[in-house]
Amino acid sequence: FAAEKRDLALVVEEEMTCGELSEAIASSCKYLTEVKLFDVYRSENVGEGKKSMAFNFSTDFSSYNLYPPLLRKGGTSNPISS
């Protein structure tokens, strides 16, 4: 699988720090290789006491191997939850 870069924005309580959230994102999947904050947005549209934090993240599935019995059965495997 090829490496990919994606963006993710999450609305969180104002007290949530960048470090706490980026650590939670990074620990959610062993295939994440980089998590970087690129924007913090506050407005009444986001909600009182809340903020939107946007991150770039990179994945690298090069070490992921499809499980052959699943392929023979036509099933799928979810590498993110592994």
Side-chain angles (χ1 to χ4, degrees):
F1 295 99
E4 289 192 23
K5 293 186 180 213
R6 300 284 179 157
D7 295 338
L8 173 69
L10 299 168
V11 175
V12 297
E13 298 295 327
E14 187 65 46
E15 295 79 25
M16 174 74 70
T17 67
C18 170
E20 291 170 328
L21 191 51
S22 58
E23 186 175 312
I25 294 168
S27 67
S28 70
C29 176
K30 65 184 178 182
Y31 300 103
L32 285 174
T33 57
E34 183 176 43
V35 178
K36 287 185 177 179
L37 179 72
F38 71 87
D39 189 37
V40 177
Y41 177 74
R42 293 173 179 89
S43 83
E44 59 186 48
N45 292 333
V46 174
E48 187 175 331
K50 298 189 182 291
K51 61 187 173 186
S52 172
M53 299 176 76
F55 293 85
N56 299 114
F57 67 92
S58 300
T59 58
D60 182 3
F61 292 99
S62 62
S63 65
Y64 179 73
N65 293 317
L66 292 175
Y67 184 61
L70 286 175
L71 292 175
R72 285 193 290 277
K73 292 179 183 178
T76 61
S77 179
N78 182 354
I80 294 175
S81 64
S82 299

